[in-house]
Amino acid sequence: MNPARGGEKTVFRARFSSITDTDIFSAMARLGEPDHNEALSVDARQELDLRIGCAFTRFQTKYFQGKYGDLDSSLISFGPCQTPTLGFCVERHDKIQSFKPETYWVLQAKVIADKDRSLLLDWDRVRVFDREIAQMFLNMTKLEKEAQVEATSKKEKAKQRPLALNTVEMLRVASSSLGMGPQHAMQTAERLYTQGYISYPRTETTHYPENFDLKGPLRQQANHPYWADTVKQLLAEGINRPRKGHDAGDHPPITPMRSATEAELGSEAWRLYEYITRHFIATVSYDCKYLQNTISFRIGPEHFTCTVKTVLSPGFTEIMPWQSVPLEESLPTCQRGDAFPVGEVKLLEKQTSPPDYLTEAELITLMEKHGIGTDASIPVHINNICQRNYVVVESGRRLKPTNLGIVLVHGYYKIDAELVLPTIRSAVERQLNLIAQGKADFRQVLSHTLDIFKRKFHYFVDSIAGMDELMEVSFSPLAATGKPLSRCGKCHRFMKYIQAKPSRLHCSHCDETYTLPQNGTIKLYKELRCPLDDFELVLWSSGSRGKSYPLCPYCYNHPPFRDMKKGMGCNECTHPTCQHSLSMLGIGQCVECEGGVLVLDPTSGPKWKVACNKCNVVAHCFENAHRVRVSPETCSSCEAALLDVDFSKAKSPRPGDETQHTGCMFCDPVFQELVELRHAASCHPMHRGGPRRQGRGRAQGRRPAGKPGARRPKDKMSALAAYFV
């Protein structure tokens, strides 16, 4: 874009729904201005969700994780959309738990149509719940020898072709029929869109505009091996205009834009693409027509019916065979007054059954009905309640709430039901839509909604004991959870290691809890103690090929020096004399990131490692060496610390019987051949970012590699670049 001159507008919006030449050129030829009201609506939604979610989540996470050890969730989150989503799942769970089965009875009759065939009749009363009354009806009918034909009817009916495909329907079918979770289905659809196979997959519209070119996408499928015949027939005979659906004013319905095969897309993406394509072809096909033939019978005083459907024209069910009308045997030709011999009349005893747990498809339907989330955010909310361990996905993509999910929802109901009911979120969504339409003021809606939730938050905090009573019944206190691991520096008693998420140490005597690095293993570190607070050190490791470092539980949570932050281990500690600190084990600036320092891992021998204390770079070096030590001397070329290495005699790179060598791991030709630099298999987020520090005060004047004037070791980058994997 050219720079603006005066009041000239230079920011425009291109609107397109598929990545094809025609759509892109058309969009660039019709550039429009961004809609300020829509942007304000999005800003309001983001600010509300962030501020409300953060306040509730921070409070309940700190409150409950500080009391219970087996919650098995790293975050006790709350969300204005996420929590009502969980509420639907728990509501179904409560219905299942409170369900009491009832016995009922059904009268079943068979009549003989001819010598080789009998007809099973449906009782018009359907069922009765009183055994004596059911027995009376049986006694009144079982003595009858014939069933009298009361009426016959034949009606031609139609099964309508589907509406054009929108996001919610695609997610429903992906979950119920393809076995794909909503989040995975959405990611797959977005990948198909960016590759140009389908139109934009985030849309609420189920109605094609009058000027939409339906034949263009259809012609793309004319040579496809799976549906070429159907497509060619439609093009030859003329397509049927799709049914009139809902026009949300966003993007057109999801449409295949070019032909593809399973070999091109892979099995997962192909299954979704195949459904989208078949659905599109079905929308421009004709309705399925069938003949419904019904005969009404009377056996004694009771009435029964038998109904059979016969397909006249399959229509769209040719391309969507799972929607087809099932094949049934035809009924015998008869008329009013005819009689058929009764083969059998019996009483069946049955029981009502509880509803099943919600499927993802059913949950999506409920969320859409109550206005929880948008077509784009529905998969995210469902994925969140799964990741937070509030529900688990069982066979058939059914969502079963966990104890944590159940207790949270029951707690919200106990304190403030509106926190979990969909009503208040639906009202907020309506206000946000009014902002997008320019009918509501952004500031007023934001201020009013925040004021409501601020009051709710204060009431929730004051009433948290009500939810805590439910927690006490379902979960164990910290003191009763975990296994003894390391000693507390205050009372010198053993602290318990709680492995359930989030992993942490708890001292029951001091009633203190110390967070630990996540996504790795924790073990005692040689019973060594921190020189500052006398806490026993523990060792965190991400695996044999990854990085590991010791840490003091107290220093990790309460940084001892000003230049340290919470969540730093010994490999970032600036203690000047501690043998585990960055000052004693730091080597030099990381070759990958700007702020990191490569630190020797003293526990890694005989497969020695040097790891960055910020990013996930790990250098494997000096395998089978007896001892590796960081020297107080520095390299004259790159200012990195020198390493003193004591090799084994059998694998020493030194000539003769020499086994010891001191040098720079970057510049020394002896060491360069023994260093393999790679990215670690795992990296905790704590290692990323933060201020830059160097070990032992070396290289303080060095600028980051790659910047003008930075000093580099001789061929350091070029020599090590080949080792990155």
Side-chain angles (χ1 to χ4, degrees), residues 490 512-514 533 553-561 565-567:
K490 296 179 180 179
E512 293 277 357
T513 304
Y514 303 96
D533 48 48
Y554 190 84
C555 294
Y556 189 82
N557 289 268
H558 307 90
F561 303 111
K565 291 182 177 180
K566 186 177 179 180

Side-chain angles (χ1 to χ4, degrees), residues 126 137 275 354 407 428 624 670 691:
V126 184
F137 287 132
Y275 168 71
V407 170
V428 172
N624 295 317
V670 176

Side-chain angles (χ1 to χ4, degrees), residues 1 25 29 33 51 112 147 186 189 238 294 355 432 466 634 661 673 684:
M1 290 291 183
F25 282 125
E33 293 182 16
R51 293 177 68 170
I112 300 170
M186 199 70 239
T294 304
L432 295 173
T634 59
H661 184 73
E673 298 297 322
H684 188 256

Side-chain angles (χ1 to χ4, degrees), residues 485-486 497-499 503-505 515-525 537-542 549-551 553 556:
L485 179 69
S486 66
Y497 172 48
I498 300 165
Q499 200 165 357
S503 58
R504 54 209 188 276
L505 286 168
T515 59
L516 296 170
Q518 305 299 306
N519 305 322
T521 58
I522 294 284
K523 61 182 180 181
L524 191 63
Y525 184 52
L537 303 182
V538 294
L539 183 73
W540 177 87
S541 174
S542 64
Y549 58 84
L551 62 106
Y556 189 82

Side-chain angles (χ1 to χ4, degrees), residues 90 113 115 188 281 286 298 409 439 483 641 663:
V90 176
K115 61 179 180 180
T188 304
I281 297 170
Y286 291 86
R298 181 177 56 80
V409 170
K439 297 178 180 178
K483 297 179 180 179

Side-chain angles (χ1 to χ4, degrees), residues 45 81 371 373-374 424-434:
R45 182 180 282 107
C81 290
T374 64
I424 193 165
R425 181 61 191 192
S426 297
V428 172
E429 285 291 341
R430 287 194 293 272
Q431 292 296 313
L432 295 173
N433 290 334
L434 289 175

Side-chain angles (χ1 to χ4, degrees), residues 681-696:
S682 176
C683 177
H684 188 256
M686 287 290 188
H687 303 147
R688 302 189 181 101
R692 185 167 70 91
R693 296 189 309 282
Q694 306 290 347
R696 295 196 184 189

